[in-house]
Structure formats: C-alpha cells, structure tokens
Amino acid sequence: ETGVTQTPRHLVMGMTNKKSLKCEQHLGHNAMYWYKQSAKKPLELMFVYNFKEQTENNSVPSRFSPECPNSSHLFLHLHTLQPEDSALYLCASSQDMQGYGYTFGSGTRLTVV
Amino acid sequence: EDKVVQSPLSLVVHEGDTVTLNCSYEVTNFRSLLWYKQEKKAPTFLFMLTSSGIEKKSGRLSSILDKKELFSILNITATQTGDSAVYLCAVINNFNKFYFGSGTKLNVKP
C-alpha cells in the first residue's frame, strides 16, 4: 500500500446508475487529485483540491462530481456515465501544491456497460 | 500547447540488456520533471529532476535532465523481468500543473 487507498478496486456500472469512488490518504498531505487513465492515452488530470478547496477542474463533464470533505478524503460521484468513461481512475495526494511527496493510489478500474 | 512526449512507446529487451527511455517536453514555466514506474495500477515515484546535468541514481536506474534541449533520459542497466512496467514521465510547472507523457511500456524477457 502506498498510503493512498482507493475503493472499490473494480466497479461495473450501468449508464443509469449512481456510484461513488473513494480515496483516503494517511500521509498528512494537503493536496489531493483525481486522474483518469484511458488505454493508450496520457494520464489526464481531472480535479485538484488543496486544503479541501477545489483549485482546478480540467473541463470535466458534470456527470463527474468531486467532493472533498476534509484533507484526508476525496470522493468522485458518478452518474449517467457513458461507455467511453470506462477507465482507470487514479487518486493522488501531495504534501502541498509544490508536488512534494506526490503519491498515487492503486486506482479504481471502472467499466460502464 | 504544453506537452510531454515519451519515446519509444514500447520496448522489448532481454534480461541483462541496458535500456534508455526518452522524455522530451515543451512546457512553459518549467519547474521539475518526474519519472514514475507503473506496474499493475499505482504509479510509484522514481526521480524528481530540477537541475540540468545532475544525474540521479537509484540502484540500476539513473536519470538526467537537459533543460537546454528540453529532455530527460531514464537509464536501466542489467535489466530484470521485474523492470517490466510502464514508465511515465511528468513535468510540473511553476503553477503546480502536471503534464504527463503517454508512457513507455517496457517488457523484459527472460
């Protein structure tokens, strides 16, 4: 384990379902990130939170809704997804916005059917 | 447009070979370049490079940055099957934005 824990590890959902991905870090970091990793594409940054405040939204569709209740927890709420949203969703955290101690979780493999 | 380009996209070698992975970048307000190894799922940190010409080493892995020519290389000597992974290069700018390359998939055969 890297210190950043993501659940579930795998998720299969229908296009009309609502589900949530969870990320938890016990590293004392203040910044948390959501990334999407699709096959044969570079890692795509989705959202950035610093001290629970969202600092970046990289033009992500509204069917992805992040939530950061505190510096240790980050959620990604999913609803009415499309099959092309199937990907590996990675959470990461860092000590601060300088990027020190950047650590990734193991990811959630999402399949939308 | 800021971007990070890695080459080759994939590579197959045999145990004991030495490999060199390349990462070139065009990122304004460059601050640092990072290398990660991704096996299965979570990328794990290898190196952070901020200054040109200073080689960083960790066992059989080493990396160096050239800020004039805008590239970095990651060398792996005496490769082992456990080195098989995707190696990711990322650049962080002064505004804390990360740019990732597509990765190089390395397959080390026995």
PDB file of all heavy atoms in Angstrom, chain A residues 5 7 21-26 29-34 49 51-52 66-76 91-93:
ATOM      1  N   THR A   5      -5.308   5.109  -0.339  1.00  0.00           N
ATOM      2  CA  THR A   5      -6.174   3.943  -0.512  1.00  0.00           C
ATOM      3  C   THR A   5      -7.406   4.308  -1.316  1.00  0.00           C
ATOM      4  O   THR A   5      -8.104   5.274  -0.975  1.00  0.00           O
ATOM      5  CB  THR A   5      -6.613   3.397   0.858  1.00  0.00           C
ATOM      6  OG1 THR A   5      -5.446   3.091   1.632  1.00  0.00           O
ATOM      7  CG2 THR A   5      -7.429   2.123   0.692  1.00  0.00           C
ATOM      8  N   THR A   7     -11.060   2.882  -3.014  1.00  0.00           N
ATOM      9  CA  THR A   7     -12.080   1.839  -3.049  1.00  0.00           C
ATOM     10  C   THR A   7     -13.247   2.293  -3.915  1.00  0.00           C
ATOM     11  O   THR A   7     -13.538   3.502  -3.978  1.00  0.00           O
ATOM     12  CB  THR A   7     -12.607   1.517  -1.630  1.00  0.00           C
ATOM     13  OG1 THR A   7     -13.052   2.735  -1.012  1.00  0.00           O
ATOM     14  CG2 THR A   7     -11.538   0.857  -0.777  1.00  0.00           C
ATOM     15  N   LEU A  21     -16.677   6.827  -6.057  1.00  0.00           N
ATOM     16  CA  LEU A  21     -15.328   6.327  -5.802  1.00  0.00           C
ATOM     17  C   LEU A  21     -14.786   7.062  -4.580  1.00  0.00           C
ATOM     18  O   LEU A  21     -15.025   8.259  -4.405  1.00  0.00           O
ATOM     19  CB  LEU A  21     -14.411   6.585  -6.997  1.00  0.00           C
ATOM     20  CG  LEU A  21     -14.908   6.150  -8.373  1.00  0.00           C
ATOM     21  CD1 LEU A  21     -13.817   6.372  -9.406  1.00  0.00           C
ATOM     22  CD2 LEU A  21     -15.377   4.719  -8.360  1.00  0.00           C
ATOM     23  N   LYS A  22     -14.030   6.321  -3.780  1.00  0.00           N
ATOM     24  CA  LYS A  22     -13.490   6.902  -2.556  1.00  0.00           C
ATOM     25  C   LYS A  22     -11.973   6.841  -2.554  1.00  0.00           C
ATOM     26  O   LYS A  22     -11.378   5.862  -2.999  1.00  0.00           O
ATOM     27  CB  LYS A  22     -14.028   6.152  -1.339  1.00  0.00           C
ATOM     28  CG  LYS A  22     -13.526   6.677  -0.002  1.00  0.00           C
ATOM     29  CD  LYS A  22     -14.072   5.854   1.153  1.00  0.00           C
ATOM     30  CE  LYS A  22     -13.509   6.315   2.482  1.00  0.00           C
ATOM     31  NZ  LYS A  22     -13.995   5.474   3.607  1.00  0.00           N
ATOM     32  N   CYS A  23     -11.377   7.895  -2.032  1.00  0.00           N
ATOM     33  CA  CYS A  23      -9.927   7.951  -1.872  1.00  0.00           C
ATOM     34  C   CYS A  23      -9.617   8.470  -0.476  1.00  0.00           C
ATOM     35  O   CYS A  23     -10.219   9.445  -0.018  1.00  0.00           O
ATOM     36  CB  CYS A  23      -9.320   8.881  -2.913  1.00  0.00           C
ATOM     37  SG  CYS A  23      -7.536   9.097  -2.756  1.00  0.00           S
ATOM     38  N   GLU A  24      -8.683   7.808   0.178  1.00  0.00           N
ATOM     39  CA  GLU A  24      -8.311   8.188   1.544  1.00  0.00           C
ATOM     40  C   GLU A  24      -6.794   8.166   1.668  1.00  0.00           C
ATOM     41  O   GLU A  24      -6.147   7.228   1.210  1.00  0.00           O
ATOM     42  CB  GLU A  24      -8.945   7.195   2.525  1.00  0.00           C
ATOM     43  CG  GLU A  24      -8.793   7.544   3.980  1.00  0.00           C
ATOM     44  CD  GLU A  24      -9.581   6.588   4.882  1.00  0.00           C
ATOM     45  OE1 GLU A  24     -10.281   5.693   4.359  1.00  0.00           O
ATOM     46  OE2 GLU A  24      -9.491   6.740   6.103  1.00  0.00           O
ATOM     47  N   GLN A  25      -6.229   9.197   2.258  1.00  0.00           N
ATOM     48  CA  GLN A  25      -4.780   9.203   2.461  1.00  0.00           C
ATOM     49  C   GLN A  25      -4.457   9.473   3.927  1.00  0.00           C
ATOM     50  O   GLN A  25      -5.113  10.273   4.587  1.00  0.00           O
ATOM     51  CB  GLN A  25      -4.095  10.221   1.530  1.00  0.00           C
ATOM     52  CG  GLN A  25      -4.569  11.663   1.626  1.00  0.00           C
ATOM     53  CD  GLN A  25      -3.765  12.524   2.563  1.00  0.00           C
ATOM     54  OE1 GLN A  25      -2.760  12.089   3.140  1.00  0.00           O
ATOM     55  NE2 GLN A  25      -4.182  13.767   2.730  1.00  0.00           N
ATOM     56  N   HIS A  26      -3.443   8.768   4.391  1.00  0.00           N
ATOM     57  CA  HIS A  26      -2.999   8.881   5.781  1.00  0.00           C
ATOM     58  C   HIS A  26      -1.572   9.395   5.829  1.00  0.00           C
ATOM     59  O   HIS A  26      -0.768   8.967   6.652  1.00  0.00           O
ATOM     60  CB  HIS A  26      -3.105   7.506   6.456  1.00  0.00           C
ATOM     61  CG  HIS A  26      -4.481   6.938   6.421  1.00  0.00           C
ATOM     62  ND1 HIS A  26      -5.511   7.405   7.218  1.00  0.00           N
ATOM     63  CD2 HIS A  26      -5.029   5.968   5.644  1.00  0.00           C
ATOM     64  CE1 HIS A  26      -6.609   6.728   6.958  1.00  0.00           C
ATOM     65  NE2 HIS A  26      -6.348   5.854   6.008  1.00  0.00           N
ATOM     66  N   HIS A  29      -1.051  14.734   3.921  1.00  0.00           N
ATOM     67  CA  HIS A  29      -0.966  15.626   2.764  1.00  0.00           C
ATOM     68  C   HIS A  29      -2.149  16.587   2.741  1.00  0.00           C
ATOM     69  O   HIS A  29      -3.222  16.296   3.263  1.00  0.00           O
ATOM     70  CB  HIS A  29      -0.933  14.816   1.474  1.00  0.00           C
ATOM     71  CG  HIS A  29       0.360  14.085   1.272  1.00  0.00           C
ATOM     72  ND1 HIS A  29       0.539  13.168   0.251  1.00  0.00           N
ATOM     73  CD2 HIS A  29       1.537  14.135   1.944  1.00  0.00           C
ATOM     74  CE1 HIS A  29       1.779  12.696   0.304  1.00  0.00           C
ATOM     75  NE2 HIS A  29       2.399  13.258   1.335  1.00  0.00           N
ATOM     76  N   ASN A  30      -1.931  17.711   2.069  1.00  0.00           N
ATOM     77  CA  ASN A  30      -2.969  18.733   1.988  1.00  0.00           C
ATOM     78  C   ASN A  30      -3.591  18.878   0.606  1.00  0.00           C
ATOM     79  O   ASN A  30      -4.617  19.538   0.464  1.00  0.00           O
ATOM     80  CB  ASN A  30      -2.395  20.088   2.413  1.00  0.00           C
ATOM     81  CG  ASN A  30      -1.955  20.076   3.865  1.00  0.00           C
ATOM     82  OD1 ASN A  30      -2.724  19.686   4.734  1.00  0.00           O
ATOM     83  ND2 ASN A  30      -0.728  20.481   4.130  1.00  0.00           N
ATOM     84  N   ALA A  31      -2.968  18.293  -0.392  1.00  0.00           N
ATOM     85  CA  ALA A  31      -3.480  18.386  -1.755  1.00  0.00           C
ATOM     86  C   ALA A  31      -3.875  16.997  -2.242  1.00  0.00           C
ATOM     87  O   ALA A  31      -3.182  16.021  -1.994  1.00  0.00           O
ATOM     88  CB  ALA A  31      -2.429  18.988  -2.690  1.00  0.00           C
ATOM     89  N   MET A  32      -5.009  16.915  -2.921  1.00  0.00           N
ATOM     90  CA  MET A  32      -5.479  15.629  -3.466  1.00  0.00           C
ATOM     91  C   MET A  32      -5.965  15.834  -4.891  1.00  0.00           C
ATOM     92  O   MET A  32      -6.434  16.926  -5.254  1.00  0.00           O
ATOM     93  CB  MET A  32      -6.587  15.041  -2.594  1.00  0.00           C
ATOM     94  CG  MET A  32      -6.105  14.693  -1.181  1.00  0.00           C
ATOM     95  SD  MET A  32      -7.327  13.815  -0.195  1.00  0.00           S
ATOM     96  CE  MET A  32      -7.203  12.148  -0.871  1.00  0.00           C
ATOM     97  N   TYR A  33      -5.833  14.775  -5.681  1.00  0.00           N
ATOM     98  CA  TYR A  33      -6.070  14.874  -7.121  1.00  0.00           C
ATOM     99  C   TYR A  33      -6.856  13.661  -7.626  1.00  0.00           C
ATOM    100  O   TYR A  33      -6.682  12.554  -7.134  1.00  0.00           O
ATOM    101  CB  TYR A  33      -4.729  14.888  -7.884  1.00  0.00           C
ATOM    102  CG  TYR A  33      -3.673  15.822  -7.345  1.00  0.00           C
ATOM    103  CD1 TYR A  33      -2.920  15.481  -6.225  1.00  0.00           C
ATOM    104  CD2 TYR A  33      -3.410  17.039  -7.976  1.00  0.00           C
ATOM    105  CE1 TYR A  33      -1.939  16.327  -5.731  1.00  0.00           C
ATOM    106  CE2 TYR A  33      -2.430  17.889  -7.486  1.00  0.00           C
ATOM    107  CZ  TYR A  33      -1.700  17.528  -6.372  1.00  0.00           C
ATOM    108  OH  TYR A  33      -0.715  18.374  -5.884  1.00  0.00           O
ATOM    109  N   TRP A  34      -7.677  13.882  -8.645  1.00  0.00           N
ATOM    110  CA  TRP A  34      -8.279  12.775  -9.392  1.00  0.00           C
ATOM    111  C   TRP A  34      -7.712  12.798 -10.812  1.00  0.00           C
ATOM    112  O   TRP A  34      -7.661  13.851 -11.457  1.00  0.00           O
ATOM    113  CB  TRP A  34      -9.796  12.920  -9.499  1.00  0.00           C
ATOM    114  CG  TRP A  34     -10.573  12.426  -8.328  1.00  0.00           C
ATOM    115  CD1 TRP A  34     -11.381  13.153  -7.505  1.00  0.00           C
ATOM    116  CD2 TRP A  34     -10.656  11.078  -7.842  1.00  0.00           C
ATOM    117  NE1 TRP A  34     -11.937  12.358  -6.540  1.00  0.00           N
ATOM    118  CE2 TRP A  34     -11.509  11.072  -6.722  1.00  0.00           C
ATOM    119  CE3 TRP A  34     -10.079   9.867  -8.233  1.00  0.00           C
ATOM    120  CZ2 TRP A  34     -11.809   9.921  -5.990  1.00  0.00           C
ATOM    121  CZ3 TRP A  34     -10.376   8.718  -7.507  1.00  0.00           C
ATOM    122  CH2 TRP A  34     -11.229   8.756  -6.397  1.00  0.00           C
ATOM    123  N   TYR A  49      -7.677  19.443  -5.410  1.00  0.00           N
ATOM    124  CA  TYR A  49      -8.140  20.060  -4.164  1.00  0.00           C
ATOM    125  C   TYR A  49      -6.933  20.391  -3.297  1.00  0.00           C
ATOM    126  O   TYR A  49      -6.001  19.586  -3.169  1.00  0.00           O
ATOM    127  CB  TYR A  49      -9.061  19.103  -3.388  1.00  0.00           C
ATOM    128  CG  TYR A  49     -10.476  19.114  -3.881  1.00  0.00           C
ATOM    129  CD1 TYR A  49     -10.851  18.349  -4.986  1.00  0.00           C
ATOM    130  CD2 TYR A  49     -11.441  19.886  -3.258  1.00  0.00           C
ATOM    131  CE1 TYR A  49     -12.158  18.366  -5.449  1.00  0.00           C
ATOM    132  CE2 TYR A  49     -12.750  19.907  -3.704  1.00  0.00           C
ATOM    133  CZ  TYR A  49     -13.103  19.140  -4.804  1.00  0.00           C
ATOM    134  OH  TYR A  49     -14.402  19.161  -5.251  1.00  0.00           O
ATOM    135  N   PHE A  51      -6.284  21.864   0.610  1.00  0.00           N
ATOM    136  CA  PHE A  51      -6.953  22.212   1.866  1.00  0.00           C
ATOM    137  C   PHE A  51      -8.480  22.223   1.695  1.00  0.00           C
ATOM    138  O   PHE A  51      -9.161  23.175   2.091  1.00  0.00           O
ATOM    139  CB  PHE A  51      -6.483  23.577   2.389  1.00  0.00           C
ATOM    140  CG  PHE A  51      -5.085  23.567   2.925  1.00  0.00           C
ATOM    141  CD1 PHE A  51      -4.026  24.024   2.154  1.00  0.00           C
ATOM    142  CD2 PHE A  51      -4.820  23.121   4.213  1.00  0.00           C
ATOM    143  CE1 PHE A  51      -2.728  24.019   2.648  1.00  0.00           C
ATOM    144  CE2 PHE A  51      -3.522  23.113   4.721  1.00  0.00           C
ATOM    145  CZ  PHE A  51      -2.480  23.567   3.932  1.00  0.00           C
ATOM    146  N   LYS A  52      -8.989  21.176   1.082  1.00  0.00           N
ATOM    147  CA  LYS A  52     -10.426  20.933   0.857  1.00  0.00           C
ATOM    148  C   LYS A  52     -11.058  21.828  -0.190  1.00  0.00           C
ATOM    149  O   LYS A  52     -12.228  21.664  -0.517  1.00  0.00           O
ATOM    150  CB  LYS A  52     -11.222  21.085   2.167  1.00  0.00           C
ATOM    151  CG  LYS A  52     -10.786  20.226   3.322  1.00  0.00           C
ATOM    152  CD  LYS A  52     -11.760  20.346   4.482  1.00  0.00           C
ATOM    153  CE  LYS A  52     -11.886  21.764   4.972  1.00  0.00           C
ATOM    154  NZ  LYS A  52     -12.889  21.875   6.075  1.00  0.00           N
ATOM    155  N   PRO A  66     -16.875  15.829  -7.931  1.00  0.00           N
ATOM    156  CA  PRO A  66     -15.963  15.540  -6.826  1.00  0.00           C
ATOM    157  C   PRO A  66     -16.474  16.124  -5.516  1.00  0.00           C
ATOM    158  O   PRO A  66     -17.273  17.058  -5.496  1.00  0.00           O
ATOM    159  CB  PRO A  66     -14.677  16.252  -7.259  1.00  0.00           C
ATOM    160  CG  PRO A  66     -15.169  17.428  -8.037  1.00  0.00           C
ATOM    161  CD  PRO A  66     -16.446  17.006  -8.713  1.00  0.00           C
ATOM    162  N   GLU A  67     -15.979  15.533  -4.429  1.00  0.00           N
ATOM    163  CA  GLU A  67     -16.299  16.040  -3.096  1.00  0.00           C
ATOM    164  C   GLU A  67     -15.097  15.814  -2.198  1.00  0.00           C
ATOM    165  O   GLU A  67     -14.518  14.726  -2.197  1.00  0.00           O
ATOM    166  CB  GLU A  67     -17.518  15.307  -2.509  1.00  0.00           C
ATOM    167  CG  GLU A  67     -17.892  15.762  -1.106  1.00  0.00           C
ATOM    168  CD  GLU A  67     -18.920  14.861  -0.443  1.00  0.00           C
ATOM    169  OE1 GLU A  67     -19.366  13.873  -1.070  1.00  0.00           O
ATOM    170  OE2 GLU A  67     -19.263  15.137   0.717  1.00  0.00           O
ATOM    171  N   CYS A  68     -14.727  16.844  -1.446  1.00  0.00           N
ATOM    172  CA  CYS A  68     -13.573  16.729  -0.550  1.00  0.00           C
ATOM    173  C   CYS A  68     -13.978  17.239   0.825  1.00  0.00           C
ATOM    174  O   CYS A  68     -13.844  18.428   1.107  1.00  0.00           O
ATOM    175  CB  CYS A  68     -12.392  17.518  -1.103  1.00  0.00           C
ATOM    176  SG  CYS A  68     -10.851  17.279  -0.217  1.00  0.00           S
ATOM    177  N   PRO A  69     -14.503  16.365   1.683  1.00  0.00           N
ATOM    178  CA  PRO A  69     -14.987  16.807   2.992  1.00  0.00           C
ATOM    179  C   PRO A  69     -13.875  17.232   3.950  1.00  0.00           C
ATOM    180  O   PRO A  69     -14.111  18.051   4.838  1.00  0.00           O
ATOM    181  CB  PRO A  69     -15.730  15.581   3.527  1.00  0.00           C
ATOM    182  CG  PRO A  69     -15.108  14.421   2.804  1.00  0.00           C
ATOM    183  CD  PRO A  69     -14.706  14.939   1.458  1.00  0.00           C
ATOM    184  N   ASN A  70     -12.691  16.681   3.764  1.00  0.00           N
ATOM    185  CA  ASN A  70     -11.529  17.068   4.572  1.00  0.00           C
ATOM    186  C   ASN A  70     -10.262  16.712   3.802  1.00  0.00           C
ATOM    187  O   ASN A  70     -10.340  16.080   2.745  1.00  0.00           O
ATOM    188  CB  ASN A  70     -11.555  16.378   5.950  1.00  0.00           C
ATOM    189  CG  ASN A  70     -11.679  14.881   5.842  1.00  0.00           C
ATOM    190  OD1 ASN A  70     -10.821  14.217   5.270  1.00  0.00           O
ATOM    191  ND2 ASN A  70     -12.772  14.328   6.385  1.00  0.00           N
ATOM    192  N   SER A  71      -9.131  17.085   4.326  1.00  0.00           N
ATOM    193  CA  SER A  71      -7.872  16.905   3.582  1.00  0.00           C
ATOM    194  C   SER A  71      -7.492  15.450   3.401  1.00  0.00           C
ATOM    195  O   SER A  71      -6.612  15.143   2.602  1.00  0.00           O
ATOM    196  CB  SER A  71      -6.733  17.638   4.304  1.00  0.00           C
ATOM    197  OG  SER A  71      -6.925  19.018   4.253  1.00  0.00           O
ATOM    198  N   SER A  72      -8.134  14.537   4.134  1.00  0.00           N
ATOM    199  CA  SER A  72      -7.764  13.127   4.047  1.00  0.00           C
ATOM    200  C   SER A  72      -8.655  12.326   3.116  1.00  0.00           C
ATOM    201  O   SER A  72      -8.337  11.181   2.790  1.00  0.00           O
ATOM    202  CB  SER A  72      -7.821  12.480   5.444  1.00  0.00           C
ATOM    203  OG  SER A  72      -6.928  13.108   6.322  1.00  0.00           O
ATOM    204  N   HIS A  73      -9.803  12.875   2.733  1.00  0.00           N
ATOM    205  CA  HIS A  73     -10.771  12.111   1.954  1.00  0.00           C
ATOM    206  C   HIS A  73     -11.189  12.856   0.697  1.00  0.00           C
ATOM    207  O   HIS A  73     -11.396  14.072   0.717  1.00  0.00           O
ATOM    208  CB  HIS A  73     -12.024  11.812   2.793  1.00  0.00           C
ATOM    209  CG  HIS A  73     -11.767  10.907   3.951  1.00  0.00           C
ATOM    210  ND1 HIS A  73     -11.318  11.370   5.170  1.00  0.00           N
ATOM    211  CD2 HIS A  73     -11.863   9.556   4.063  1.00  0.00           C
ATOM    212  CE1 HIS A  73     -11.171  10.338   5.994  1.00  0.00           C
ATOM    213  NE2 HIS A  73     -11.486   9.234   5.348  1.00  0.00           N
ATOM    214  N   LEU A  74     -11.321  12.082  -0.357  1.00  0.00           N
ATOM    215  CA  LEU A  74     -11.752  12.631  -1.641  1.00  0.00           C
ATOM    216  C   LEU A  74     -12.690  11.633  -2.295  1.00  0.00           C
ATOM    217  O   LEU A  74     -12.408  10.434  -2.309  1.00  0.00           O
ATOM    218  CB  LEU A  74     -10.528  12.884  -2.541  1.00  0.00           C
ATOM    219  CG  LEU A  74     -10.751  13.564  -3.883  1.00  0.00           C
ATOM    220  CD1 LEU A  74     -11.270  14.992  -3.678  1.00  0.00           C
ATOM    221  CD2 LEU A  74      -9.458  13.583  -4.677  1.00  0.00           C
ATOM    222  N   PHE A  75     -13.810  12.142  -2.792  1.00  0.00           N
ATOM    223  CA  PHE A  75     -14.782  11.276  -3.454  1.00  0.00           C
ATOM    224  C   PHE A  75     -14.969  11.740  -4.891  1.00  0.00           C
ATOM    225  O   PHE A  75     -14.771  12.922  -5.217  1.00  0.00           O
ATOM    226  CB  PHE A  75     -16.136  11.337  -2.732  1.00  0.00           C
ATOM    227  CG  PHE A  75     -16.108  10.788  -1.332  1.00  0.00           C
ATOM    228  CD1 PHE A  75     -15.825  11.624  -0.256  1.00  0.00           C
ATOM    229  CD2 PHE A  75     -16.363   9.455  -1.083  1.00  0.00           C
ATOM    230  CE1 PHE A  75     -15.801  11.137   1.048  1.00  0.00           C
ATOM    231  CE2 PHE A  75     -16.345   8.954   0.215  1.00  0.00           C
ATOM    232  CZ  PHE A  75     -16.051   9.800   1.268  1.00  0.00           C
ATOM    233  N   LEU A  76     -15.367  10.794  -5.729  1.00  0.00           N
ATOM    234  CA  LEU A  76     -15.774  11.130  -7.091  1.00  0.00           C
ATOM    235  C   LEU A  76     -17.121  10.477  -7.308  1.00  0.00           C
ATOM    236  O   LEU A  76     -17.229   9.257  -7.371  1.00  0.00           O
ATOM    237  CB  LEU A  76     -14.748  10.628  -8.112  1.00  0.00           C
ATOM    238  CG  LEU A  76     -14.967  11.065  -9.551  1.00  0.00           C
ATOM    239  CD1 LEU A  76     -14.888  12.594  -9.665  1.00  0.00           C
ATOM    240  CD2 LEU A  76     -13.953  10.417 -10.481  1.00  0.00           C
ATOM    241  N   CYS A  91      -6.328   8.253  -7.843  1.00  0.00           N
ATOM    242  CA  CYS A  91      -6.289   9.342  -6.881  1.00  0.00           C
ATOM    243  C   CYS A  91      -4.826   9.548  -6.491  1.00  0.00           C
ATOM    244  O   CYS A  91      -4.042   8.583  -6.451  1.00  0.00           O
ATOM    245  CB  CYS A  91      -7.121   8.971  -5.661  1.00  0.00           C
ATOM    246  SG  CYS A  91      -7.001  10.122  -4.278  1.00  0.00           S
ATOM    247  N   ALA A  92      -4.445  10.768  -6.230  1.00  0.00           N
ATOM    248  CA  ALA A  92      -3.092  11.052  -5.765  1.00  0.00           C
ATOM    249  C   ALA A  92      -3.154  12.131  -4.695  1.00  0.00           C
ATOM    250  O   ALA A  92      -4.143  12.867  -4.591  1.00  0.00           O
ATOM    251  CB  ALA A  92      -2.204  11.501  -6.921  1.00  0.00           C
ATOM    252  N   SER A  93      -2.112  12.197  -3.905  1.00  0.00           N
ATOM    253  CA  SER A  93      -2.022  13.276  -2.921  1.00  0.00           C
ATOM    254  C   SER A  93      -0.587  13.770  -2.876  1.00  0.00           C
ATOM    255  O   SER A  93       0.346  13.063  -3.292  1.00  0.00           O
ATOM    256  CB  SER A  93      -2.462  12.801  -1.532  1.00  0.00           C
ATOM    257  OG  SER A  93      -1.525  11.892  -0.980  1.00  0.00           O
TER     258      SER A  93
END
